[in-house]
Amino acid sequence: MKQAQPSTIYLKDYRQPDYWITETGLRFELFEERAVVHSELQMHRHADSPADAELVLHGVELKLLSVKVDGQPWPQDKYSVDDKTLTLRDLPESFVLACVTEIEPHKNTSLEGLYKSRSMFCTQCEAEGFRKITYYIDRPDVMSVFTTRVEADKSQFPLLLSNGNAIERGELADGRHYATWLDPFKKPAYLFALVAADLEVVEDRFTTCSGRDVLLQIFVEAKDLDKCAHAMLSLKNSMRWDEETYGREYDLDIFMIVAVDDFNMGAMENKGLNIFNTSCVLAAQETTTDAAFQRVEGVVAHEYFHNWSGNRVTCRDWFQLSLKEGFTVYRDSEFSSDMNSRTVKRVEDVQHLRSIQFPEDAGPMAHPIRPASFIEISNFYTMTIYEKGNEVVRMIANLLGKELFRRGCDLYFERFDGQAVTTDDFVACMAEVSGRDFSQFQHWYEQAGTPRLAVAGQYDAEAQTYTLTVEQSCPATPGQAVKPNFHIPLAMALVGRRGLLPLELEGESHGVETVLDVTEKQQQFVFSGVSEKPVPSLLRDFSAPVNLSCAYSRDQLLFLIANDTDGFCRWDAMQQLAVAVISEQAEAWRAGESLVVDVRLVQAMRQLLQDESADRAMVALMLALPSLPYLVDLLDSPDIEALHHARATLRQHISGELQALLLDTYHSNMSDVEYQPSAEQIAQRSLKNACLAYLSLQSDFSAIERIQQQYQDADNMTDKLAALAAMVNSNSLHAETAKQAMLDDFYHAWKHEALVVNQWLQVQSACALPGGLERIKALMAHEAFDIKNPNKVRSVISIFCGQNAINFHDASGSGYEFLADQVIELNALNPQIASRMIVPLSKWRRLPAAQGDKMKLALERIMTSPNLSSDVFEMVSKALKG
Ligand code: B3K
Ligand code: ZN
């Protein structure tokens, strides 16, 4: 049976701790089957706390071997231990608390705290993992200087790492050795890290803007030494960029990255010792796709940027998570935009936000970027905290403009260096440097839900005016039925036949582009001197994370696709057109009618393909139809089968209509230039492979031969995987035997490269052809699968349930049953991973009852299963409440 229900923690209950820890001394004795942790904590009672204040330390799954205060064993009647805390009484004002605890890292499958990934020891402490290592005040406002000594067998673990600088190394008896590390910057325990391993290293150096020399090290398995160059270059570029863009210099003499196979997320910004999922650090032409190259660059930058936005200035409590995450995502996305194509990055970010964050914000887990309560903080590492948080910082940066935003950031970093602060502190700095009033803007931090903007335009030819009427609203979200109006920056322009029209508002000239401050429920903006009927270009560069609707005619959308100067708006117009065409095709399919595809969509694509001046990556993005999961989340009570059918038929139609042009584009984008993960080459490959995917829908033998040819000739993983995906997804009779042959060939060529095997798993898990669940079960029985490895779980189960909508939502409900089984199994092994997998089921209320009811049953089965973790409990109970 379920244990007592986990309790809810509220932001409003925040108070400072009764004790501070100023110095933390740790000694780890690592053995095969256990680790003994000795801690010495210099503690001080808070000046405002009473003399009899109890000291409550967090500790989970620890065996307490001894407790001493100032060197003396603490009497048993002055402390008590339960499964979450160690409480001490009758303490002096300042003292040294020494504890010895024992843990079992080899049994730790939650990958939180100290655990083993293959043969190495490593840690993950954010958010509350340190308490699985030793008793501690494990909260981010308790900041301390750490000295860490690691002891282990020398031959098995030649490498002993922790945060900061190595200050001592030496030999011990029995073939053991030790290393002591001192991190001079005080930090919360969540930034602690330790690694004991047998790894090789790639080294480089960086000279900071003030002339300090920093040693850069990336630790990987010997076989991966040739896959570190891209991460190293990305690291150096990030270090330089942060100096130039934010004036932030690195502060230690050494910066280390360690790659591990078993990791719950992408990477972790531990001070001076970042720990990375191998998938976010290793990259080589033969094994890594262009998208993965870019992810490595982005994640390396993200973790490095945390050194200031997160580590030097950290969060007061976990409700402030977006203070560091939203800001750091903003910083890394700007970095990636500077390194690559800004428009492409913007469109990709919006695509990601709309397809994952918008549904989150519209569902039972919706929460503000600064939540007011949580049960399990691990559940709040969400797209909302990260990506909507990024959008909110982006709006602030745009409102202030480059120079003022930089001044605001300088003030923030300088004023709060070494402190644990709040999102209010961040916004206050921005208000202070700009003199702006952010009180209405603050709602972005407090209110969940994606605001809606309904915009209508009216042209008066006689008066030469154009009136935009803008109305805002925000759907109810859990606990927030009615919400005050947001301050929404609406970037816009008016597009005329010969380009953007001059904007004049209330007698004032605004150039050809402006940002309207939408602050009321309804507002009108009257532009004068408008010489022709324009088409409004709205939410340019996606100026706010809102759902904007404007009743564009299809001809107006075509006009924007052809004439707008804003890359995001052109892409968005194509998306809107595609959604309209797919919806209408789906309706016809449901009614058993056949409907001719609107030629205008095909015509727009034709023009794009013929436009030699167009950015090829943008063409590829615009050729791609909205994904099925996106459509399912977008529409009310969606008929998934009808949508799938409509989308598939439309793709087939486009492929037939544009065949010659697609073929031309495919050939003209082949290249024998040496591979580079540069924006230009990536654009070229993405367009070529978009064409290949369309051409592969043709059932003639030459389509299969083309795929095989590309597979054989490819000198890089992007092209090879595109060919494999095209083959796996082909329903041509000619593909039957070729498909298995290609899958086998790929597996045998790469079975020793886990990251490549994961891509092989992903391609098959995403395949929309019938029989999806049987394929998934076969993959899970394959030697390549391991349920304890999060990358494998994501590659198979999460891809199937999150991206393979037509198979997951099979009418029988088998997909839902399957997911419930996996969540129950993973709940016992790794609650964080289990909890994340519940998201697809949480959408049950939005689907037709035939499906929704079955999803709800699956949720209920999870809810009544024994020993639910707080992570899974919170997600399922919220999902059921709806
Ligand atoms: N800060 C970490 C995330 C930790 C997640 C803990 N469950 C990675 C990042 O955002 O950089
Ligand atoms: Zn982060």
Side-chain angles (χ1 to χ4, degrees), residues 568-621:
F568 160 74
C569 286
R570 293 180 73 207
W571 169 81
D572 194 37
M574 182 67 105
Q575 288 276 296
Q576 289 182 48
L577 186 59
V579 169
V581 173
I582 294 170
S583 308
E584 132 187 306
Q585 292 288 327
E587 275 311 310
W589 189 82
R590 271 163 75 93
E593 293 162 6
S594 74
L595 184 76
V596 181
V597 172
D598 191 335
V599 289
R600 290 174 291 189
L601 176 65
V602 180
Q603 188 51 26
M605 290 187 170
R606 188 190 307 278
Q607 273 167 11
L608 271 175
L609 283 164
Q610 284 167 338
D611 180 357
E612 300 208 329
S613 66
D615 175 338
R616 287 184 267 210
M618 286 305 293
V619 176
L621 283 167

Short mmCIF file of all heavy atoms in Angstrom, two decimals, residues 568-621:
data_model
loop_
_atom_site.label_atom_id
_atom_site.label_comp_id
_atom_site.label_asym_id
_atom_site.label_seq_id
_atom_site.Cartn_x
_atom_site.Cartn_y
_atom_site.Cartn_z
N PHE A 568 10.84 34.50 -38.56
CA PHE A 568 9.91 33.74 -37.73
C PHE A 568 8.49 33.86 -38.30
O PHE A 568 7.76 32.86 -38.40
CB PHE A 568 9.94 34.23 -36.28
CG PHE A 568 8.71 33.85 -35.53
CD1 PHE A 568 8.52 32.53 -35.13
CD2 PHE A 568 7.69 34.78 -35.29
CE1 PHE A 568 7.35 32.15 -34.49
CE2 PHE A 568 6.52 34.39 -34.65
CZ PHE A 568 6.35 33.07 -34.25
N CYS A 569 8.09 35.06 -38.69
CA CYS A 569 6.71 35.25 -39.18
C CYS A 569 6.47 34.52 -40.49
O CYS A 569 5.37 34.00 -40.72
CB CYS A 569 6.40 36.74 -39.32
SG CYS A 569 6.15 37.55 -37.73
N ARG A 570 7.48 34.46 -41.32
CA ARG A 570 7.32 33.71 -42.59
C ARG A 570 7.10 32.23 -42.28
O ARG A 570 6.22 31.58 -42.83
CB ARG A 570 8.56 33.86 -43.48
CG ARG A 570 8.76 35.27 -43.98
CD ARG A 570 10.00 35.33 -44.85
NE ARG A 570 9.78 34.69 -46.14
CZ ARG A 570 10.74 34.14 -46.89
NH1 ARG A 570 11.99 34.13 -46.49
NH2 ARG A 570 10.46 33.59 -48.04
N TRP A 571 7.93 31.71 -41.40
CA TRP A 571 7.81 30.30 -41.01
C TRP A 571 6.44 30.04 -40.38
O TRP A 571 5.75 29.07 -40.70
CB TRP A 571 8.94 29.94 -40.04
CG TRP A 571 8.74 28.60 -39.38
CD1 TRP A 571 9.03 27.38 -39.91
CD2 TRP A 571 8.19 28.36 -38.08
NE1 TRP A 571 8.69 26.39 -39.02
CE2 TRP A 571 8.18 26.97 -37.89
CE3 TRP A 571 7.71 29.19 -37.06
CZ2 TRP A 571 7.70 26.37 -36.72
CZ3 TRP A 571 7.24 28.60 -35.89
CH2 TRP A 571 7.24 27.21 -35.73
N ASP A 572 6.04 30.98 -39.52
CA ASP A 572 4.78 30.81 -38.80
C ASP A 572 3.59 30.85 -39.77
O ASP A 572 2.61 30.11 -39.60
CB ASP A 572 4.67 31.91 -37.73
CG ASP A 572 3.56 31.60 -36.74
OD1 ASP A 572 3.39 30.41 -36.42
OD2 ASP A 572 2.88 32.54 -36.30
N ALA A 573 3.69 31.70 -40.76
CA ALA A 573 2.60 31.77 -41.74
C ALA A 573 2.47 30.43 -42.47
O ALA A 573 1.36 29.94 -42.71
CB ALA A 573 2.87 32.91 -42.73
N MET A 574 3.61 29.83 -42.78
CA MET A 574 3.57 28.52 -43.44
C MET A 574 2.96 27.48 -42.51
O MET A 574 2.16 26.63 -42.93
CB MET A 574 4.99 28.13 -43.86
CG MET A 574 5.07 26.82 -44.59
SD MET A 574 4.26 26.88 -46.22
CE MET A 574 5.67 26.93 -47.28
N GLN A 575 3.31 27.55 -41.22
CA GLN A 575 2.74 26.61 -40.25
C GLN A 575 1.22 26.77 -40.19
O GLN A 575 0.48 25.78 -40.21
CB GLN A 575 3.29 26.91 -38.85
CG GLN A 575 4.72 26.52 -38.64
CD GLN A 575 4.85 25.06 -38.26
OE1 GLN A 575 4.37 24.62 -37.23
NE2 GLN A 575 5.48 24.29 -39.12
N GLN A 576 0.78 28.01 -40.14
CA GLN A 576 -0.68 28.25 -40.03
C GLN A 576 -1.40 27.72 -41.26
O GLN A 576 -2.48 27.14 -41.16
CB GLN A 576 -0.95 29.75 -39.88
CG GLN A 576 -0.53 30.30 -38.53
CD GLN A 576 -0.86 31.79 -38.41
OE1 GLN A 576 -1.97 32.21 -38.71
NE2 GLN A 576 0.11 32.57 -37.97
N LEU A 577 -0.78 27.94 -42.41
CA LEU A 577 -1.39 27.45 -43.64
C LEU A 577 -1.47 25.92 -43.62
O LEU A 577 -2.51 25.32 -43.96
CB LEU A 577 -0.54 27.94 -44.84
CG LEU A 577 -1.08 27.67 -46.22
CD1 LEU A 577 -2.46 28.30 -46.41
CD2 LEU A 577 -0.10 28.21 -47.28
N ALA A 578 -0.37 25.29 -43.19
CA ALA A 578 -0.34 23.82 -43.15
C ALA A 578 -1.37 23.28 -42.16
O ALA A 578 -2.06 22.29 -42.45
CB ALA A 578 1.07 23.33 -42.81
N VAL A 579 -1.48 23.92 -41.00
CA VAL A 579 -2.46 23.45 -39.99
C VAL A 579 -3.87 23.54 -40.59
O VAL A 579 -4.68 22.62 -40.46
CB VAL A 579 -2.36 24.27 -38.68
CG1 VAL A 579 -3.54 23.97 -37.76
CG2 VAL A 579 -1.05 23.98 -37.96
N ALA A 580 -4.14 24.65 -41.29
CA ALA A 580 -5.47 24.82 -41.89
C ALA A 580 -5.74 23.72 -42.92
O ALA A 580 -6.83 23.12 -42.93
CB ALA A 580 -5.58 26.21 -42.52
N VAL A 581 -4.77 23.45 -43.75
CA VAL A 581 -4.98 22.45 -44.81
C VAL A 581 -5.12 21.06 -44.19
O VAL A 581 -6.01 20.29 -44.57
CB VAL A 581 -3.82 22.51 -45.84
CG1 VAL A 581 -3.93 21.37 -46.83
CG2 VAL A 581 -3.82 23.86 -46.55
N ILE A 582 -4.28 20.74 -43.21
CA ILE A 582 -4.37 19.40 -42.59
C ILE A 582 -5.72 19.25 -41.88
O ILE A 582 -6.38 18.21 -42.00
CB ILE A 582 -3.20 19.15 -41.61
CG1 ILE A 582 -1.87 19.10 -42.37
CG2 ILE A 582 -3.40 17.84 -40.85
CD1 ILE A 582 -0.64 19.09 -41.49
N SER A 583 -6.15 20.28 -41.15
CA SER A 583 -7.42 20.17 -40.43
C SER A 583 -8.56 19.93 -41.40
O SER A 583 -9.46 19.11 -41.14
CB SER A 583 -7.72 21.45 -39.64
OG SER A 583 -6.64 21.78 -38.85
N GLU A 584 -8.51 20.63 -42.52
CA GLU A 584 -9.62 20.48 -43.47
C GLU A 584 -9.57 19.10 -44.12
O GLU A 584 -10.61 18.46 -44.34
CB GLU A 584 -9.54 21.66 -44.45
CG GLU A 584 -9.63 21.42 -45.89
CD GLU A 584 -9.34 22.72 -46.66
OE1 GLU A 584 -10.00 23.74 -46.38
OE2 GLU A 584 -8.46 22.71 -47.53
N GLN A 585 -8.37 18.60 -44.37
CA GLN A 585 -8.25 17.25 -44.93
C GLN A 585 -8.74 16.20 -43.91
O GLN A 585 -9.37 15.22 -44.28
CB GLN A 585 -6.78 16.95 -45.28
CG GLN A 585 -6.21 17.77 -46.43
CD GLN A 585 -6.78 17.32 -47.77
OE1 GLN A 585 -7.08 16.14 -47.98
NE2 GLN A 585 -6.97 18.26 -48.69
N ALA A 586 -8.43 16.44 -42.63
CA ALA A 586 -8.84 15.48 -41.59
C ALA A 586 -10.36 15.44 -41.48
O ALA A 586 -10.95 14.37 -41.36
CB ALA A 586 -8.22 15.86 -40.25
N GLU A 587 -10.98 16.61 -41.56
CA GLU A 587 -12.44 16.68 -41.51
C GLU A 587 -13.04 15.89 -42.67
O GLU A 587 -14.00 15.13 -42.51
CB GLU A 587 -12.91 18.14 -41.61
CG GLU A 587 -12.94 18.85 -40.28
CD GLU A 587 -13.67 18.04 -39.22
OE1 GLU A 587 -14.79 17.58 -39.47
OE2 GLU A 587 -13.07 17.83 -38.14
N ALA A 588 -12.47 16.08 -43.84
CA ALA A 588 -12.98 15.39 -45.04
C ALA A 588 -12.83 13.87 -44.86
O ALA A 588 -13.73 13.10 -45.17
CB ALA A 588 -12.23 15.87 -46.28
N TRP A 589 -11.70 13.47 -44.32
CA TRP A 589 -11.44 12.03 -44.13
C TRP A 589 -12.46 11.43 -43.17
O TRP A 589 -13.00 10.34 -43.40
CB TRP A 589 -10.02 11.84 -43.61
CG TRP A 589 -9.59 10.40 -43.59
CD1 TRP A 589 -9.10 9.66 -44.63
CD2 TRP A 589 -9.61 9.53 -42.45
NE1 TRP A 589 -8.82 8.40 -44.22
CE2 TRP A 589 -9.13 8.27 -42.88
CE3 TRP A 589 -9.99 9.68 -41.12
CZ2 TRP A 589 -9.00 7.18 -42.03
CZ3 TRP A 589 -9.87 8.59 -40.26
CH2 TRP A 589 -9.39 7.35 -40.72
N ARG A 590 -12.75 12.17 -42.11
CA ARG A 590 -13.75 11.70 -41.13
C ARG A 590 -15.12 11.54 -41.78
O ARG A 590 -15.87 10.63 -41.48
CB ARG A 590 -13.92 12.73 -40.02
CG ARG A 590 -12.98 12.56 -38.89
CD ARG A 590 -12.96 13.83 -38.09
NE ARG A 590 -14.18 13.99 -37.29
CZ ARG A 590 -14.27 13.58 -36.03
NH1 ARG A 590 -13.25 12.98 -35.46
NH2 ARG A 590 -15.37 13.76 -35.35
N ALA A 591 -15.41 12.47 -42.69
CA ALA A 591 -16.73 12.43 -43.35
C ALA A 591 -16.74 11.46 -44.52
O ALA A 591 -17.74 11.34 -45.23
CB ALA A 591 -17.08 13.84 -43.82
N GLY A 592 -15.62 10.79 -44.73
CA GLY A 592 -15.55 9.84 -45.84
C GLY A 592 -15.52 10.50 -47.20
O GLY A 592 -15.82 9.89 -48.22
N GLU A 593 -15.16 11.78 -47.22
CA GLU A 593 -15.10 12.49 -48.51
C GLU A 593 -13.66 12.58 -48.98
O GLU A 593 -12.74 12.51 -48.18
CB GLU A 593 -15.60 13.93 -48.33
CG GLU A 593 -17.06 14.04 -47.98
CD GLU A 593 -17.39 15.40 -47.39
OE1 GLU A 593 -16.49 16.27 -47.36
OE2 GLU A 593 -18.53 15.56 -46.95
N SER A 594 -13.50 12.77 -50.27
CA SER A 594 -12.13 13.06 -50.69
C SER A 594 -12.10 14.52 -51.11
O SER A 594 -13.02 15.02 -51.76
CB SER A 594 -11.69 12.13 -51.82
OG SER A 594 -12.31 12.50 -53.00
N LEU A 595 -11.07 15.19 -50.68
CA LEU A 595 -11.00 16.64 -50.87
C LEU A 595 -9.72 16.96 -51.61
O LEU A 595 -8.65 16.43 -51.28
CB LEU A 595 -11.00 17.29 -49.48
CG LEU A 595 -11.03 18.80 -49.44
CD1 LEU A 595 -12.42 19.30 -49.75
CD2 LEU A 595 -10.62 19.26 -48.04
N VAL A 596 -9.82 17.84 -52.57
CA VAL A 596 -8.61 18.22 -53.32
C VAL A 596 -7.76 19.11 -52.41
O VAL A 596 -8.26 19.99 -51.73
CB VAL A 596 -9.01 19.01 -54.59
CG1 VAL A 596 -7.78 19.40 -55.39
CG2 VAL A 596 -9.98 18.19 -55.41
N VAL A 597 -6.45 18.82 -52.37
CA VAL A 597 -5.55 19.62 -51.54
C VAL A 597 -5.47 21.04 -52.09
O VAL A 597 -5.37 21.23 -53.31
CB VAL A 597 -4.14 18.98 -51.50
CG1 VAL A 597 -3.15 19.90 -50.80
CG2 VAL A 597 -4.20 17.62 -50.83
N ASP A 598 -5.51 22.00 -51.19
CA ASP A 598 -5.40 23.41 -51.59
C ASP A 598 -4.07 23.62 -52.31
O ASP A 598 -3.00 23.48 -51.72
CB ASP A 598 -5.46 24.27 -50.31
CG ASP A 598 -5.61 25.74 -50.65
OD1 ASP A 598 -5.20 26.14 -51.75
OD2 ASP A 598 -6.14 26.48 -49.78
N VAL A 599 -4.17 23.96 -53.58
CA VAL A 599 -2.94 24.09 -54.39
C VAL A 599 -2.02 25.18 -53.86
O VAL A 599 -0.82 25.17 -54.13
CB VAL A 599 -3.25 24.41 -55.88
CG1 VAL A 599 -3.84 23.21 -56.57
CG2 VAL A 599 -4.13 25.63 -56.01
N ARG A 600 -2.58 26.11 -53.08
CA ARG A 600 -1.76 27.24 -52.63
C ARG A 600 -0.63 26.80 -51.71
O ARG A 600 0.44 27.38 -51.72
CB ARG A 600 -2.65 28.29 -51.96
CG ARG A 600 -3.51 29.01 -52.97
CD ARG A 600 -4.48 29.94 -52.32
NE ARG A 600 -5.52 29.22 -51.58
CZ ARG A 600 -6.59 29.80 -51.05
NH1 ARG A 600 -6.77 31.10 -51.16
NH2 ARG A 600 -7.50 29.09 -50.42
N LEU A 601 -0.87 25.76 -50.92
CA LEU A 601 0.19 25.28 -50.03
C LEU A 601 1.35 24.72 -50.86
O LEU A 601 2.52 25.03 -50.63
CB LEU A 601 -0.35 24.20 -49.08
CG LEU A 601 0.69 23.55 -48.17
CD1 LEU A 601 1.28 24.56 -47.19
CD2 LEU A 601 0.09 22.38 -47.39
N VAL A 602 1.00 23.91 -51.84
CA VAL A 602 2.03 23.31 -52.69
C VAL A 602 2.76 24.41 -53.47
O VAL A 602 3.99 24.39 -53.62
CB VAL A 602 1.40 22.28 -53.65
CG1 VAL A 602 2.46 21.65 -54.54
CG2 VAL A 602 0.65 21.21 -52.86
N GLN A 603 1.98 25.39 -53.89
CA GLN A 603 2.56 26.50 -54.65
C GLN A 603 3.56 27.28 -53.78
O GLN A 603 4.65 27.65 -54.23
CB GLN A 603 1.44 27.42 -55.15
CG GLN A 603 1.87 28.51 -56.11
CD GLN A 603 2.69 27.95 -57.28
OE1 GLN A 603 2.57 26.78 -57.65
NE2 GLN A 603 3.57 28.79 -57.83
N ALA A 604 3.22 27.48 -52.51
CA ALA A 604 4.14 28.20 -51.61
C ALA A 604 5.42 27.41 -51.43
O ALA A 604 6.53 27.98 -51.43
CB ALA A 604 3.45 28.42 -50.26
N MET A 605 5.29 26.11 -51.32
CA MET A 605 6.49 25.28 -51.16
C MET A 605 7.32 25.29 -52.44
O MET A 605 8.55 25.34 -52.40
CB MET A 605 6.09 23.85 -50.79
CG MET A 605 5.54 23.75 -49.38
SD MET A 605 5.28 22.04 -48.90
CE MET A 605 4.93 22.24 -47.15
N ARG A 606 6.62 25.29 -53.56
CA ARG A 606 7.34 25.33 -54.84
C ARG A 606 8.18 26.61 -54.92
O ARG A 606 9.36 26.59 -55.27
CB ARG A 606 6.33 25.27 -56.00
CG ARG A 606 6.98 25.11 -57.38
CD ARG A 606 5.96 25.30 -58.50
NE ARG A 606 4.77 24.45 -58.35
CZ ARG A 606 4.70 23.18 -58.72
NH1 ARG A 606 5.74 22.59 -59.27
NH2 ARG A 606 3.59 22.49 -58.55
N GLN A 607 7.56 27.71 -54.54
CA GLN A 607 8.27 28.99 -54.62
C GLN A 607 9.49 29.00 -53.69
O GLN A 607 10.55 29.51 -54.05
CB GLN A 607 7.34 30.14 -54.26
CG GLN A 607 6.60 30.64 -55.48
CD GLN A 607 5.45 31.54 -55.12
OE1 GLN A 607 5.31 31.97 -53.98
NE2 GLN A 607 4.61 31.83 -56.10
N LEU A 608 9.30 28.43 -52.54
CA LEU A 608 10.42 28.36 -51.60
C LEU A 608 11.59 27.59 -52.18
O LEU A 608 12.75 28.01 -52.11
CB LEU A 608 9.99 27.62 -50.33
CG LEU A 608 9.38 28.41 -49.21
CD1 LEU A 608 8.92 27.46 -48.13
CD2 LEU A 608 10.41 29.38 -48.64
N LEU A 609 11.24 26.43 -52.77
CA LEU A 609 12.30 25.58 -53.34
C LEU A 609 12.99 26.27 -54.51
O LEU A 609 14.16 26.02 -54.79
CB LEU A 609 11.71 24.24 -53.79
CG LEU A 609 11.43 23.24 -52.66
CD1 LEU A 609 10.51 22.13 -53.13
CD2 LEU A 609 12.73 22.65 -52.11
N GLN A 610 12.26 27.14 -55.17
CA GLN A 610 12.84 27.82 -56.34
C GLN A 610 13.61 29.08 -55.96
O GLN A 610 14.36 29.60 -56.78
CB GLN A 610 11.73 28.18 -57.33
CG GLN A 610 11.24 26.97 -58.11
CD GLN A 610 9.95 27.24 -58.86
OE1 GLN A 610 9.19 28.15 -58.51
NE2 GLN A 610 9.67 26.43 -59.87
N ASP A 611 13.43 29.53 -54.74
CA ASP A 611 14.04 30.80 -54.32
C ASP A 611 15.51 30.56 -53.96
O ASP A 611 15.83 30.07 -52.89
CB ASP A 611 13.27 31.34 -53.11
CG ASP A 611 13.86 32.65 -52.61
OD1 ASP A 611 14.88 33.10 -53.16
OD2 ASP A 611 13.28 33.21 -51.66
N GLU A 612 16.39 30.94 -54.87
CA GLU A 612 17.80 30.61 -54.65
C GLU A 612 18.43 31.45 -53.55
O GLU A 612 19.48 31.09 -53.02
CB GLU A 612 18.57 30.78 -55.96
CG GLU A 612 18.00 29.85 -57.01
CD GLU A 612 18.98 29.41 -58.04
OE1 GLU A 612 19.90 30.20 -58.34
OE2 GLU A 612 18.82 28.27 -58.54
N SER A 613 17.77 32.58 -53.22
CA SER A 613 18.38 33.43 -52.20
C SER A 613 17.97 33.01 -50.78
O SER A 613 18.49 33.52 -49.80
CB SER A 613 17.97 34.88 -52.45
OG SER A 613 16.58 34.99 -52.23
N ALA A 614 17.01 32.07 -50.69
CA ALA A 614 16.48 31.73 -49.36
C ALA A 614 17.52 30.96 -48.53
O ALA A 614 18.33 30.20 -49.07
CB ALA A 614 15.22 30.88 -49.52
N ASP A 615 17.47 31.16 -47.22
CA ASP A 615 18.31 30.40 -46.29
C ASP A 615 17.83 28.95 -46.34
O ASP A 615 16.66 28.66 -46.07
CB ASP A 615 18.12 31.00 -44.88
CG ASP A 615 18.87 30.21 -43.81
OD1 ASP A 615 19.18 29.03 -44.03
OD2 ASP A 615 19.13 30.79 -42.74
N ARG A 616 18.75 28.05 -46.68
CA ARG A 616 18.34 26.67 -46.92
C ARG A 616 17.78 25.99 -45.67
O ARG A 616 16.88 25.16 -45.75
CB ARG A 616 19.51 25.87 -47.49
CG ARG A 616 19.76 26.26 -48.93
CD ARG A 616 20.84 25.43 -49.54
NE ARG A 616 22.12 26.10 -49.40
CZ ARG A 616 23.12 25.96 -50.26
NH1 ARG A 616 22.99 25.18 -51.31
NH2 ARG A 616 24.26 26.60 -50.07
N ALA A 617 18.33 26.36 -44.52
CA ALA A 617 17.80 25.75 -43.28
C ALA A 617 16.35 26.20 -43.07
O ALA A 617 15.51 25.43 -42.62
CB ALA A 617 18.65 26.15 -42.09
N MET A 618 16.08 27.46 -43.41
CA MET A 618 14.70 27.95 -43.25
C MET A 618 13.78 27.25 -44.25
O MET A 618 12.63 26.94 -43.92
CB MET A 618 14.65 29.47 -43.46
CG MET A 618 15.22 30.27 -42.31
SD MET A 618 14.44 29.85 -40.74
CE MET A 618 12.79 30.46 -41.03
N VAL A 619 14.27 27.02 -45.45
CA VAL A 619 13.44 26.30 -46.42
C VAL A 619 13.10 24.91 -45.88
O VAL A 619 11.95 24.47 -45.91
CB VAL A 619 14.14 26.21 -47.80
CG1 VAL A 619 13.32 25.38 -48.77
CG2 VAL A 619 14.41 27.61 -48.36
N ALA A 620 14.12 24.25 -45.32
CA ALA A 620 13.88 22.91 -44.77
C ALA A 620 12.84 22.97 -43.65
O ALA A 620 11.93 22.14 -43.59
CB ALA A 620 15.19 22.30 -44.26
N LEU A 621 12.97 23.96 -42.79
CA LEU A 621 12.01 24.09 -41.69
C LEU A 621 10.60 24.36 -42.22
O LEU A 621 9.61 23.89 -41.67
CB LEU A 621 12.42 25.23 -40.75
CG LEU A 621 13.56 24.93 -39.78
CD1 LEU A 621 14.08 26.22 -39.15
CD2 LEU A 621 13.10 23.98 -38.68
#
